[in-house]
Amino acid sequence: MITVSDLSLNYSGTPLFSHVDLQFTQGNCYGIIGANGAGKSTFLKILSGELDSTSGSVTIQPNVRMSVLKQDQNRYDEHTVLTTAIMGNLHLYEIGQEMNALYEKPDFSDEDGIKAAELQAEYAELGGYESESDASRILQGLGVPVEYHETLMADLDGRLKVKVLLAQALFGNPDLLMMDEPTNNLDIDAINWLEDFLMDYPGTVIVVSHDRYFLNNVCTHIVDIDYGKIKLYVGNYDFWYDSSQLMQQLRRNQNKRNEEKIKELQEFVARFSANKSKSKQATARRKLLDKLTVEELPASSRRYPWVSFSPEREVGKDILFVNGVSKTVDGVKLLDQVSFTVEHGDKIAFVGENENAQTALFKILTEEWEPDEGSVKWGQTATFSYFPKDNSAFFNDVDDDLVEWLRPFSPDPHESYLRTFLGRMLFSGDDVYKKVKVLSGGEKVRCMLSKMMLSQANVLLLDQPTNHLDLEAITALNKGLEAVKCNVLVASHDHQLVQTVANRVFDFTSDGKLIDHRGTYDEYLEKNRAE
């Protein structure tokens, strides 16, 4: 379906990737992965024709209908939600508009009738008469209720706009579907629906994503951008990851054997080169030594931050008691008589669509907000550290560099300690003197995680910590939360993190009631399906 031949891209004379030769075939799903800055989104734009490469070519078979997930949320503000979704098949939409314009003509002629009949036949062939029901089904699957379908896009909030644009990309069964981070800002229910949709999808999918669970569920192939190359591997993300780790280990083992052999030969040559009886052997070994080199492992662009939480002291028996908490914001009841007790060893995941309720509870637990009614009581030995969903207050209008910013949160104020700590979080060299107000979203998240680690708290509260993180940082955070011996309350869209970390699940209904499930997230989903 797509052939990539000898493709290269240079920025200011520096190659981003070069000599790329790939084939994307019908019916497969390709996940594009790589470190931040490796060129994932850029490569996708070249495939879609939005960007030109420096050299080489991208050839798409004729008569292939391509759909690309749009990123401009305000582009369709004058259209209704349903119309915006249908515009995913622009040819179908334009035929419908032309047909309606003909029928609305006051001087409708015989020629107009012939033209309208031709348009009607093509409209029917393209599925036009089922278009509204098809678009509505996709919108509802992604969590856009029917009552919003005739609403103007301009009147929707950002989260719903994202879902409508995704519905637009999926509408009309395109032959080729390209999506850059389709799961961003989607709740887990919408992600699950999207996974099911793509697993049954007959066309070709090319997707950039940081969601490991999503990549594992939908991908048949992985497109890896690293070392300035782009390589294609069969299998899902876990298969690629395990294979890449194995190859790295094999290379390290081979290097170790080479190093040991070189050392042995060097010792032999040094010992016997002056001995005439051994001179021939020494010469032979010197020749062999010249051929043996320790191959350096490629300097991969992938870097994993160090995420490890170490509570200063273990929390006691009494941790957290929440009793009858309610909260209304701007006339909307976010929490309604919420009660629960956090027990020793609980790691609780907040899931579901009602993210406003999740954030409201976090703000009440951290005393940023007061509840309208009810009470929150922390145990005497409990100390918490909080990762807010919106971290802008920690960085906006702050003129500190990273070292200065982190110093107030550190038990050791010395710059050498802070530099070492920041280095583990991938801030090396002069990066530690960057002003925090100019950091990227992912860099700010790593700063907030550093602050949490230095706090040595025994209760961790995290509201959507994986937003803005790349796969490597998400993996590191996942492992850190799995390993920590303290209580965790975390809201996240990352299925794998929620499943592997949590032993208890909180889901808030649309009216603010709490569903408290003791068990894993997959068990909770299975229970819901059974009901």
Side-chain angles (χ1 to χ4, degrees):
M1 181 166 287
I2 302 182
T3 302
V4 179
S5 302
D6 198 25
L7 191 76
S8 297
L9 181 68
N10 295 338
Y11 276 134
S12 303
T14 302
L16 189 61
F17 41 76
S18 59
H19 304 299
V20 179
D21 294 290
L22 298 174
Q23 287 275 355
F24 296 90
T25 56
Q26 172 70 29
N28 290 321
C29 179
Y30 300 87
I32 302 177
I33 63 170
N36 283 348
K40 301 183 296 293
S41 297
T42 301
F43 181 57
L44 194 68
K45 288 178 180 178
I46 291 173
L47 293 180
S48 68
E50 186 178 340
L51 284 179
D52 292 328
S53 60
T54 304
S55 61
S57 64
V58 174
T59 305
I60 300 177
Q61 290 178 351
N63 302 318
V64 166
R65 190 171 80 81
M66 178 172 62
S67 180
V68 180
L69 176 60
K70 306 292 193 305
Q71 302 294 334
D72 184 358
Q73 292 188 11
N74 301 319
R75 182 174 177 179
Y76 300 92
D77 277 357
E78 72 277 14
H79 298 285
T80 67
V81 166
L82 192 63
T83 298
T84 300
I86 292 172
M87 289 173 76
N89 187 340
L90 193 57
H91 184 54
L92 170 67
Y93 170 76
E94 289 173 345
I95 289 174
Q97 293 295 102
E98 187 178 356
M99 199 166 59
N100 291 337
L102 280 174
Y103 286 129
E104 289 172 3
K105 288 179 66 174
D107 54 344
F108 189 81
S109 65
D110 290 342
E111 288 183 1
D112 292 331
I114 294 170
K115 179 63 175 176
E118 292 173 351
L119 291 172
Q120 257 186 329
E122 187 175 4
Y123 190 72
E125 185 178 349
L126 292 171
Y129 292 106
E130 299 83 39
S131 59
E132 290 192 1
S133 60
D134 289 345
S136 178
R137 175 180 56 82
I138 295 172
L139 287 164
Q140 291 178 70
L142 289 170
V144 183
V146 174
E147 55 265 31
Y148 286 101
H149 291 186
E150 295 304 324
T151 302
L152 286 176
M153 287 286 286
D155 296 330
L156 292 187
D157 65 32
R159 288 181 66 247
L160 282 178
K161 281 187 175 183
V162 166
K163 292 182 175 184
V164 176
L165 292 180
L166 181 53
Q168 182 191 77
L170 301 177
F171 174 76
N173 295 315
D175 304 300
L176 175 59
L177 179 58
M178 296 190 189
M179 300 182 290
D180 192 351
E181 298 292 358
T183 62
N184 275 5
N185 299 310
L186 291 188
D187 53 81
I188 288 181
D189 289 339
I191 293 172
N192 290 340
W193 184 90
L194 177 60
E195 288 171 1
D196 291 339
F197 181 95
L198 293 178
M199 282 189 278
D200 293 333
Y201 179 71
T204 301
V205 180
I206 304 175
V207 57
V208 173
S209 179
H210 288 146
D211 189 324
R212 299 160 296 165
Y213 190 87
F214 176 78
L215 290 171
N216 280 329
N217 276 351
V218 304
C219 289
T220 60
H221 296 72
I222 293 295
V223 179
D224 179 34
I225 305 180
D226 206 356
Y227 315 122
K229 303 292 184 182
I230 304 181
K231 295 184 179 180
L232 181 63
Y233 300 90
V234 175
N236 61 12
Y237 176 76
D238 275 353
F239 185 82
W240 168 86
Y241 179 81
D242 291 343
S243 300
S244 67
Q245 294 301 299
L246 177 61
M247 286 302 297
Q248 291 280 59
Q249 186 60 49
L250 289 174
R251 285 177 178 174
R252 283 192 289 268
N253 291 344
Q254 182 62 48
N255 285 353
K256 185 177 181 181
R257 287 193 293 269
N258 284 357
E259 287 172 343
E260 291 171 351
K261 188 66 175 174
I262 287 172
K263 185 178 180 181
E264 177 188 334
L265 292 169
Q266 286 173 333
E267 289 174 352
F268 183 92
V269 170
R271 194 177 332 128
F272 295 112
S273 59
N275 188 324
K276 290 183 179 180
S277 65
K278 300 283 188 180
S279 61
K280 289 185 178 179
Q281 294 179 33
T283 302
R285 279 162 175 73
R286 188 180 288 110
K287 289 180 179 178
L288 181 57
L289 182 63
D290 290 339
K291 294 178 181 178
L292 260 180
T293 59
V294 180
E295 179 192 2
E296 291 186 7
L297 287 175
S300 172
S301 57
R302 284 182 172 78
R303 301 168 67 203
Y304 290 82
W306 173 80
V307 179
S308 179
F309 302 96
S310 301
E312 185 175 22
R313 62 175 177 174
E314 187 176 355
V315 72
K317 182 178 179 182
D318 294 337
I319 300 169
L320 176 62
F321 304 90
V322 176
N323 184 36
V325 165
S326 296
K327 184 68 178 179
T328 298
V329 178
D330 296 331
V332 178
K333 193 151 200 174
L334 299 179
L335 302 171
D336 185 11
Q337 292 294 310
V338 170
S339 299
F340 61 89
T341 300
V342 175
E343 300 171 1
H344 205 277
D346 277 347
K347 292 186 177 181
I348 303 170
F350 294 5
V351 303
E353 291 190 29
N354 197 348
E355 293 183 25
N356 290 332
Q358 299 168 13
T359 298
L361 181 58
F362 276 124
K363 289 186 175 183
I364 290 171
L365 295 181
T366 57
E367 301 178 351
E368 186 177 336
W369 284 359
E370 289 284 339
D372 296 336
E373 57 180 319
S375 63
V376 172
K377 182 181 179 183
W378 285 96
Q380 288 187 345
T381 61
T383 58
F384 67 80
S385 185
Y386 175 43
F387 182 103
K389 187 175 184 179
D390 180 4
N391 60 37
S392 58
F394 289 88
F395 300 99
N396 290 355
D397 302 320
V398 177
D399 201 41
D400 291 345
D401 61 33
L402 270 72
V403 172
E404 293 167 336
W405 185 89
L406 195 59
R407 184 173 279 121
F409 308 117
S410 174
D412 185 338
H414 294 95
E415 183 167 329
S416 58
Y417 174 81
L418 294 169
R419 284 182 65 100
T420 299
F421 193 91
L422 287 166
R424 291 174 173 179
M425 294 302 287
L426 308 186
F427 298 107
S428 57
D430 290 339
D431 286 347
V432 301
Y433 300 119
K434 288 172 67 173
K435 299 294 186 181
V436 296
K437 61 186 177 184
V438 302
L439 297 178
S440 68
E443 288 173 328
K444 288 177 181 177
V445 170
R446 282 188 271 129
C447 283
M448 294 300 294
L449 292 175
S450 299
K451 171 181 173 292
M452 293 188 77
M453 287 188 279
L454 289 169
S455 74
Q456 298 181 301
N458 52 30
V459 180
L460 304 178
L461 310 175
L462 302 101
D463 192 1
Q464 301 299 339
T466 61
N467 289 355
H468 306 294
L469 291 183
D470 58 18
L471 274 168
E472 290 70 41
I474 292 171
T475 300
L477 174 61
N478 197 152
K479 290 180 177 179
L481 293 178
E482 279 186 79
V484 68
K485 304 297 183 185
C486 75
N487 291 98
V488 177
L489 285 74
V490 56
S492 177
H493 298 150
D494 191 289
H495 188 127
Q496 189 163 331
L497 184 148
V498 169
Q499 170 59 22
T500 54
V501 170
N503 55 23
R504 191 173 173 187
V505 175
F506 282 3
D507 191 354
F508 293 94
T509 62
S510 58
D511 56 358
K513 299 289 186 183
L514 174 65
I515 301 170
D516 184 355
H517 168 79
R518 293 181 182 271
T520 68
Y521 179 57
D522 282 349
E523 289 169 350
Y524 175 64
L525 292 177
E526 191 60 36
K527 178 184 175 184
N528 284 351
R529 292 189 191 102
E531 293 174 353

